[in-house]
Amino acid sequence: IHRDIKPGNIIHARYEPHNYYLIDFGLACSVDDASNSVNVGTPYFSPAVFENYPKYSFSDDIQSLLLTGIVLVLGSIPWHAEN
């Protein structure tokens, strides 16, 4: 689980035309059951479901990836996130 998928965390390999990598230069740590429920990530790209469910899952990363795709297509964030 990545928990912070956003355009700034996707890079393109210059000499590998079709390869993209998911990175994160922010705080990184090992995830265990206790820390899996901590609210992290960028508010614009964090799935709204974290308020209703106690733990992150792979499907939350998929939702963040879809939101990232929308931003890449539109060129801007079409909504406002609070905190």
Side-chain angles (χ1 to χ4, degrees), residues 32-73:
D32 59 11
D33 287 337
S35 65
N36 194 24
S37 61
V38 176
N39 184 10
V40 298
T42 305
Y44 288 112
F45 300 97
S46 294
V49 298
F50 69 78
E51 295 177 3
N52 300 324
Y53 298 101
K55 293 190 178 191
Y56 284 91
S57 69
F58 179 70
S59 62
D60 297 328
D61 275 351
I62 296 298
Q63 184 175 352
S64 293
L65 187 60
L66 292 172
L67 293 172
T68 298
I70 290 169
V71 170
L72 292 174
V73 168

